[in-house]
Amino acid sequence: MTTSAFADLNALRDAATRELDAAVDAAALEAWRVAYLGRSGKITGVLRGIAAVPADQRRVFGAAANEIKVALEQRFEARQADLERGALSALASDAIDITLPGRPVDMGRLHPTTIVIREICGIFQSMGFQVVEGPEVEWDKYNFEALNIPKDHPARDKWDTIWVDANKDVEGRFTTLLRTHNSPMQARVMETNQPPIRVVVPGKCFRYEATDATHESQFFQVEGLVVDEGVSFANLKHTLYEFARRLFGGDRKVRFRCDFFPFVEPGVDMSIDCFKCGGRDPACRICRGSGWIEIMGAGMVHPNVLRNVGYDPARVSGFAFGMGPERIAMLKYGIDDIRLFYANDIRFLRQF
Ligand code: FA5
């Protein structure tokens, strides 16, 4: 046996060791096994060729080759175990820890206007009112004429109207509009029902108005109507006082002052005493030092409105009222700009 045959055997061992240590996954490891220890592998080839080694050296060479084979097999097994351990720990680090708290799911919430409308309607329902709704696109007839506001009457200026150019009368005037208030439902309800009537009407209305901190061009109103025999102004005062007490708290004082709406006579605006400062803070953000906060318009249904729907004002009477839920939400929650209600700012909406 030549020294070079031993040198080749050692070089083969070193190359096999290097390549085994460089194998990083199961596929590389298997490729290495086939290349060196497989049936046609290089080490197997060396062992098969022992017969060609001169007889006097065969035993020593054979023993050396066998030693290398056994050493490489052990190294292979150790490397295999290492890689399996690594793969397992990688799996472990990817695993889901079911003991961790879950990720919170964003919950939808009610819009502050919806909360207040539900509260308002709930209070009136508990007093025996029905909740009804009506169309947002309305005829001039219901928005104005049935409510004692004839065409070209200056009282129309009170409601800056957005007209819909779908229909015109013989004189070329628009006859449809986006309702400017929810009062048209007074006429619609009375036209199709007989007294006694007790309804509240939540819904959107629209005005051609510049917006500011307390005015929007699209906002909600809740309208109310009571018609029956013998309904008096005392009934109006009691009902609205009871409503204010339930909505704003037990100790509320209310104030009624004369106001003008063509469809009621007498007409009033209703205020509650300021629950923030009680009138003691001249800089109060809510009442501006007056001590009173106006919350709605109201009055006794005008006899012309009753006649327009075929009722006899000598037999039945009623009262009506209309309020803005956004303005009420502003008071209840201390919101100082009505434009926040429609800005869709999630930081604002999340607070309710
Ligand atoms: C009316 O619209 C009458 N229809 C109310 C009424 C009904 C009176 C029945 C008598 C009998 P007024 O224009 O004042 O009235 O509006 C009523 C409420 O709607 C106001 O008190 C206010 O809360 C709200 N409102 C009015 N204009 C706006 C606006 N531009 N933006 C937000 N809210 C408004």
Side-chain angles (χ1 to χ4, degrees), residues 147 158-159 180-184 186 205-207 209-212 214-224 259-261 263-264 267-268 294-301 319-328 330 338 342:
L147 296 176
K158 202 171 156 83
W159 292 277
T180 57
H181 53 174
N182 284 9
S183 300
Q186 288 186 28
C205 49
F206 308 83
R207 292 188 193 172
E209 271 190 36
T211 60
D212 62 24
T214 52
H215 293 84
E216 264 290 356
S217 50
Q218 171 191 303
F219 54 97
F220 281 83
Q221 282 192 344
V222 178
E223 179 85 9
D259 200 350
F260 173 70
F261 300 95
F263 34 91
V264 288
V268 291
E294 192 182 316
I295 58 164
M296 68 174 105
M300 299 304 292
V301 179
F319 66 85
F321 53 89
M323 67 191 92
E326 286 94 349
R327 298 256 183 97
I328 289 175
M330 289 169 81
I338 197 169
Y342 299 98

Side-chain angles (χ1 to χ4, degrees), residues 57-321:
Q57 295 170 13
R58 200 175 291 153
R59 203 176 53 78
V60 181
F61 185 82
N66 210 44
E67 206 175 294
I68 288 173
K69 178 176 178 263
V70 171
L72 284 174
E73 278 172 350
Q74 284 170 353
R75 201 177 181 98
F76 169 81
E77 276 163 23
R79 182 84 188 122
Q80 195 172 39
D82 271 0
L83 286 179
E84 271 168 16
R85 257 197 309 279
L88 278 177
S89 71
L91 268 181
S93 68
D94 277 354
I96 296 167
D97 181 351
I98 57 164
T99 64
L100 287 174
R103 291 195 190 111
V105 177
D106 260 356
M107 296 280 282
R109 308 150 194 261
L110 292 179
H111 192 281
T113 310
T114 309
I115 297 173
V116 168
I117 288 176
R118 289 192 184 181
E119 212 174 328
I120 293 169
C121 291
I123 293 171
F124 283 110
Q125 278 174 306
S126 75
M127 297 188 207
F129 283 68
Q130 251 181 299
V131 178
V132 295
E133 291 187 14
E136 291 171 5
V137 177
E138 187 55 281
W139 295 105
D140 179 297
K141 173 185 153 193
Y142 290 111
N143 198 85
F144 291 127
E145 284 170 62
L147 296 176
N148 201 28
I149 313 171
K151 286 200 168 51
D152 303 321
H153 193 281
R156 290 193 175 207
D157 292 350
K158 202 171 156 83
W159 292 277
D160 304 286
T161 307
I162 300 171
W163 295 96
V164 177
D165 61 2
N167 302 292
K168 288 183 182 168
D169 63 13
V170 283
E171 286 161 44
R173 285 178 298 207
F174 293 131
T175 53
T176 34
L177 47 83
L178 298 185
R179 68 177 174 196
T180 57
H181 53 174
N182 284 9
S183 300
M185 278 303 285
Q186 288 186 28
R188 282 183 178 273
V189 168
M190 287 192 278
E191 209 178 53
T192 48
N193 295 277
Q194 286 303 310
I197 287 171
R198 254 188 242 117
V199 291
V200 279
V201 188
K204 247 184 245 170
C205 49
F206 308 83
R207 292 188 193 172
Y208 186 63
E209 271 190 36
T211 60
D212 62 24
T214 52
H215 293 84
E216 264 290 356
S217 50
Q218 171 191 303
F219 54 97
F220 281 83
Q221 282 192 344
V222 178
E223 179 85 9
L225 175 69
V226 172
V227 185
D228 202 350
E229 288 177 17
V231 174
S232 69
F233 195 79
N235 298 133
L236 175 156
K237 283 174 75 177
H238 172 76
T239 306
L240 297 184
Y241 167 69
E242 184 60 20
F243 161 72
R245 212 179 55 77
R246 293 205 204 167
L247 188 67
F248 291 104
D251 307 326
R252 295 279 65 82
K253 289 200 190 86
V254 296
R255 182 184 73 176
F256 292 95
R257 286 190 310 181
C258 287
D259 200 350
F260 173 70
F261 300 95
F263 34 91
V264 288
E265 181 58 36
V268 291
D269 72 46
M270 178 182 150
S271 303
I272 55 169
D273 60 327
C274 180
F275 47 78
K276 180 88 175 166
C277 77
R280 286 181 291 278
D281 176 7
C284 176
R285 217 170 25 79
I286 295 190
C287 72
R288 299 194 176 84
S290 73
W292 295 100
I293 309 162
E294 192 182 316
I295 58 164
M296 68 174 105
M300 299 304 292
V301 179
H302 196 290
N304 285 350
V305 174
L306 296 174
R307 270 186 217 107
N308 286 342
V309 294
Y311 286 4
D312 177 3
R315 198 177 66 80
V316 293
S317 55
F319 66 85
F321 53 89

